[in-house]
Amino acid sequence: MNDFSISMALVDYIPVIFFAIAAIILLRDLYDKMSKGAYALFSAGVIDVAIAGALKATWKLLYAADACNFEALDAMFFPVQSIGFLLAGIGILTVLVHKNSQKALMAVTPPVFSGTFVFVSLMVVGLGIMDVVLCILSARLKKPGLIAVFAFSFVCSLCMGYLSSQNFAKSAMNWIAEGVNILGQGTLLLGTVLLHKNGLAKLARCGSEDQ
């Protein structure tokens, strides 16, 4: 029996909104700094992450409102979000090492996994790549302070990986997880907005142009 409330379910949408806004800013600023294949990977990844988070929050809302227990929305969260973070991480990595990403696109064929630990690992790896690239871009824009912002966001994500292995049937654990997630996605959004304001879109494109 899960101890959810409607207010808890609504709060669960906040980090989803934070991430979605940050993703939109990055998609706009990095559009001309990736090949089409890499941009497609990054776009698909962040869309997967946002959709997975929104559906998980919707499952919690339906459950708390006693409408129904739509188990598929809960069960799909880790597989969809972890693969989304991995795709986003691979896509944004090409901002630093720009090559023909069609090969990378063809190479990413997610195998069949079971167990949340594997999915959490994929999520952490993908988000880690994403945060490392954003830290490097912060340094190139001579804004080293933003590195701490993205590092803090990544630490919060690591905490979420740990919390995901705990018992979420209790209200207290859900509130803790939501608080950590809001902090993580909120700092990601803050760092992204500051990168944008400091000229991320105008940063010289790295690597060679598409042939």
Side-chain angles (χ1 to χ4, degrees):
M1 181 69 66
N2 291 301
D3 186 15
F4 296 152
S5 65
I6 292 179
S7 60
M8 177 190 297
L10 292 176
V11 169
D12 221 27
Y13 284 101
I14 295 177
V16 178
I17 293 172
F18 283 170
F19 179 84
I21 295 173
I24 290 171
I25 294 173
L26 289 173
L27 284 168
R28 294 182 64 180
D29 284 357
L30 300 178
Y31 177 75
D32 62 346
K33 298 173 178 63
M34 300 180 182
S35 68
K36 292 181 180 179
Y39 191 80
L41 280 178
F42 183 68
S43 301
V46 294
I47 290 172
D48 279 357
V49 172
I51 289 177
L55 292 181
K56 178 67 178 283
T58 300
W59 165 75
K60 193 175 292 186
L61 181 61
L62 292 173
Y63 193 104
D66 293 324
C68 67
N69 180 11
F70 202 154
E71 292 182 335
L73 300 184
D74 180 35
M76 70 183 289
F77 175 71
F78 271 121
V80 174
Q81 189 172 80
S82 60
I83 292 174
F85 272 123
L86 185 61
L87 293 178
I90 293 172
I92 199 172
L93 185 61
T94 63
V95 172
L96 303 179
V97 184
H98 185 73
K99 295 180 179 178
N100 186 348
S101 352
Q102 293 299 326
K103 295 181 179 179
L105 182 62
M106 295 173 60
V108 179
T109 305
V112 178
F113 292 112
S114 62
T116 59
F117 175 77
V118 175
F119 292 121
V120 170
S121 299
L122 289 175
M123 180 177 68
V124 170
V125 169
L127 188 56
I129 293 173
M130 197 170 152
D131 283 325
V132 167
V133 172
L134 292 175
C135 285
I136 293 173
L137 293 176
S138 298
R140 289 182 175 177
L141 288 170
K142 294 181 170 52
K143 296 295 175 182
L146 294 182
I147 295 176
V149 174
F150 290 118
F152 179 78
S153 175
F154 182 63
V155 169
C156 288
S157 298
L158 290 179
C159 291
M160 282 301 298
Y162 167 75
L163 290 171
S164 66
S165 64
Q166 305 304 303
N167 182 8
F168 274 79
K170 298 299 182 182
S171 174
M173 185 57 66
N174 277 275
W175 280 114
I176 291 173
E178 287 182 355
V180 172
N181 202 17
I182 288 173
L183 279 175
Q185 301 308 322
T187 49
L188 174 64
L189 173 58
L190 173 63
T192 300
V193 169
L194 292 175
L195 273 181
H196 172 72
K197 288 185 175 180
N198 284 283
L200 177 61
K202 297 179 181 177
L203 187 66
R205 182 174 179 174
C206 301
S208 58
E209 298 292 328
D210 284 335
Q211 300 298 322

